[in-house]
């Protein structure tokens, strides 16, 4: 009897090993990747796709990173930012006239082609000091780019090249991305062009306090896909090769990747990109409130009935919130049906909309949920 039980156990172990081996050596050649090219009229960016991504994988059908990489890589470019030295005053100008001006400095980053007529999104910190921008495509074509606009509040920028036959990446709906979802980071770390790394979304709505300014918006997608210097401005894509975010920052006590990287969600980035293309600057809607996160201690101290949401500490005179009926002491819990459990989540939802847009804000007021129609102001 013991021998029979041992035989059965050995059979199960053997089957498990066979399944593990087959999953590691699966053939992906039947999945033909498609590089999406979106026709652009009047400088309009491609629409964000609304279909939901399936994130499940079985032991016999693992996640297909090959198709995603092949779909995304052609639209991710290498950006060389060249900065020529400019004297700060007449004394420096005279000094360097005699002793020679320092050679131009160079830095590299990444960017993503978002339209067939040459618009590329990248990070503001990649290009902000540049006097010349050189863009290299996956097929090794090189072009000089011009700056269309910059937005320090989100650390995004748009540049443009004049080139034929450009591959364009498809945009996902970052609101539908989930914690635990597989993603790929595509970029050019340490001048290692067209590098792809894989990981999962480990958090959403993350504020890491790296952007300065009263109106900065930090609601990053956090991942554990390896990102290093040079990846900035590159693509964070889902398993279908669709753009979820723009890689922007890393957690780096040593200056190199230490386990976490951060990307601007594409739903927020698209609004910034379109405004920079249309106006050269970003036009944002504002609620007109001073706010703070709610937690259990704050809720207990202030007699609140909820432990999640955004507490309205003050209303700005003449702002959208005060004219719509929002009151001090309200706890904002949703915008257009989407939960806002933290200040970054609220900033992302409002920051991705224009002045004049109407939103339904759900507030908890003394234990009662109320829906308030708010028309955002500039």
């Amino acid at each position: 009897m013991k021998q029979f039980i041992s035989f059965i156990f050995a059979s199960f172990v053997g089957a498990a090993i066979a399944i593990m081996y087959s999953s590691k050596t699966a053939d992906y050649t039947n999945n033909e990747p498609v590089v999406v090219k979106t026709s652009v009229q009047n400088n309009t960016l491609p629409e964000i796709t609304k279909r939901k991504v399936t994130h499940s994988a079985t032991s016999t059908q693992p996640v297909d990173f090959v198709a995603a990489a092949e779909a995304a890589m052609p639209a991710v470019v290498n950006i060389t930012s060249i900065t020529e030295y400019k004297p700060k005053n007449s004394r420096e100008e005279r000094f360097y006239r005699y002793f020679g001006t320092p050679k131009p400095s160079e830095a590299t980053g990444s960017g993503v082609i978002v339209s067939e007529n040459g618009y590329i999104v990248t990070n503001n910190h990649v290009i902000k000091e540049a006097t010349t921008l050189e863009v290299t495509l996956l097929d090794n074509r090189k072009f000089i780019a011009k700056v269309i606009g910059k937005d320090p509040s989100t650390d995004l920028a748009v540049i443009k090249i004049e080139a034929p036959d450009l591959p364009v990446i498809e945009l996902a709906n970052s609101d539908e991305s989930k914690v635990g979802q597989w993603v790929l980071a595509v970029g050019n770390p340490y001048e290692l062009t067209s590098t792809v790394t894989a990981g999962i979304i480990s958090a959403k709505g993350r504020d890491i306090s790296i952007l300065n300014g009263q109106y900065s918006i930090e609601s990053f997608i956090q991942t554990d896909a390896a990102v290093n210097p040079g990846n900035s401005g590159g693509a964070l894509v889902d398993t279908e090769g669709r753009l979820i975010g723009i890689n922007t920052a890393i957690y780096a006590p040593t200056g190199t990747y230490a386990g976490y990287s951060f990307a601007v969600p594409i739903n927020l980035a698209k609004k910034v990109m379109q405004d920079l293309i249309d106006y050269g600057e970003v036009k944002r809607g504002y609620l007109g409130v001073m706010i703070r996160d709610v937690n259990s201690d704050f809720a207990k101290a202030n007699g609140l009935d909820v432990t999640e949401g955004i507490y309205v500490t003050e209303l700005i005179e003449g702002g959208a919130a005060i004219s719509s009926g929002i009151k001090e002491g309200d706890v904002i819990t949703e915008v257009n049906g989407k939960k806002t459990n933290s200040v970054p989540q609220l900033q992302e939802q409002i920051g991705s909309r224009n002045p004049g847009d109407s939103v339904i804000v759900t507030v908890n007021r003394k234990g009662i949920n109320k829906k308030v129609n708010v028309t955002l102001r500039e």
Side-chain angles (χ1 to χ4, degrees), residues 21-41:
Y21 178 77
S22 65
S23 70
K24 291 182 179 179
T25 58
D27 182 8
Y28 302 118
T29 56
N30 292 328
N31 296 315
E32 294 295 330
V34 178
V35 177
V36 178
K37 288 191 175 184
T38 306
S39 178
V40 177
Q41 301 294 332

Side-chain angles (χ1 to χ4, degrees), residues 68-378:
E70 290 183 352
M73 285 171 61
V76 178
V77 303
N78 186 20
I79 299 175
T80 301
S81 176
I82 303 168
T83 305
E84 297 178 1
Y85 178 79
K86 293 182 179 180
K88 298 177 183 177
N89 50 51
S90 58
R91 183 178 179 182
E92 282 193 6
E93 185 176 0
R94 290 194 301 271
F95 179 85
Y96 288 114
R97 190 183 303 161
Y98 288 105
F99 295 99
T101 304
K103 293 182 179 180
S105 62
E106 291 189 6
T108 59
S110 304
V112 185
I113 303 171
V114 291
S115 74
E116 283 184 336
N117 55 353
Y119 288 106
I120 297 170
V121 63
T122 184
N123 285 139
N124 178 56
H125 75 259
V126 170
I127 61 99
K128 68 176 182 178
E129 302 293 341
T131 52
T132 304
L133 292 171
E134 186 178 82
V135 172
T136 305
L137 277 56
L138 182 64
D139 61 10
N140 292 325
R141 287 185 291 166
K142 291 188 177 183
F143 302 92
I144 299 299
K146 65 177 180 179
V147 176
I148 300 301
K150 307 173 185 178
D151 181 41
S153 295
T154 54
D155 194 22
L156 293 173
V158 174
I159 62 177
K160 191 175 189 297
I161 59 174
E162 302 296 333
D165 303 321
L166 290 173
V168 178
I169 200 163
E170 185 180 356
L171 306 187
N173 184 349
S174 55
D175 286 347
E176 293 179 350
S177 60
K178 305 292 184 183
V179 173
Q181 172 184 338
W182 282 106
V183 288
L184 298 180
V186 187
N188 306 282
Y190 299 121
E191 301 185 28
L192 300 172
T193 58
S194 304
T195 296
V196 180
T197 56
I200 63 167
I201 295 177
S202 49
K204 293 182 66 179
R206 187 70 83 196
D207 182 347
I208 56 174
S209 301
I210 62 168
L211 300 179
N212 298 320
Q214 182 179 357
Y215 301 111
S216 63
I217 299 176
E218 291 192 28
S219 185
F220 294 119
I221 298 171
Q222 178 182 314
T223 79
D224 63 354
V227 169
N228 276 296
N231 272 111
S232 290
L236 185 73
V237 303
D238 62 22
T239 54
E240 297 181 45
R242 300 179 302 160
L243 189 63
I244 291 178
I246 302 300
N247 294 318
T248 298
I250 59 176
Y251 176 74
T254 62
T256 58
Y257 175 72
Y260 300 107
S261 55
F262 304 89
V264 178
I266 194 58
N267 286 26
L268 174 61
K270 185 181 178 183
K271 186 268 189 294
V272 173
M273 292 186 291
Q274 193 67 66
D275 277 7
L276 292 178
I277 292 170
D278 291 344
Y279 313 114
E281 62 180 3
V282 179
K283 298 180 181 294
R284 283 195 183 89
Y286 289 99
L287 270 178
V289 291
M290 302 295 287
I291 52 179
R292 60 151 293 162
D293 287 329
V294 173
N295 56 35
S296 59
D297 292 337
F298 184 83
K300 184 177 180 180
N302 290 272
L304 303 179
D305 293 287
V306 291
T307 57
E308 290 183 316
I310 314 302
Y311 185 80
V312 178
T313 61
E314 186 179 343
L315 297 168
I316 306 302
E317 193 67 34
I322 194 170
S323 62
S324 65
I326 292 177
K327 298 181 179 180
E328 291 182 10
D330 284 350
V331 178
I332 299 173
T333 58
E334 292 182 356
V335 174
N336 284 353
K338 292 184 172 64
K339 289 188 179 298
T340 54
N341 293 332
S342 66
V343 168
Q345 289 178 337
L346 178 62
Q347 289 177 325
E348 180 185 350
Q349 289 298 324
I350 299 300
S352 61
R353 291 173 169 82
N354 295 307
D357 286 354
S358 293
V359 294
I360 303 298
V361 178
T362 302
V363 301
N364 185 282
R365 182 180 299 163
K366 297 180 179 179
I368 300 173
N369 289 326
K370 296 179 178 290
K371 293 185 183 296
V372 182
N373 193 317
V374 181
T375 301
L376 302 177
R377 298 184 180 179
E378 190 168 359

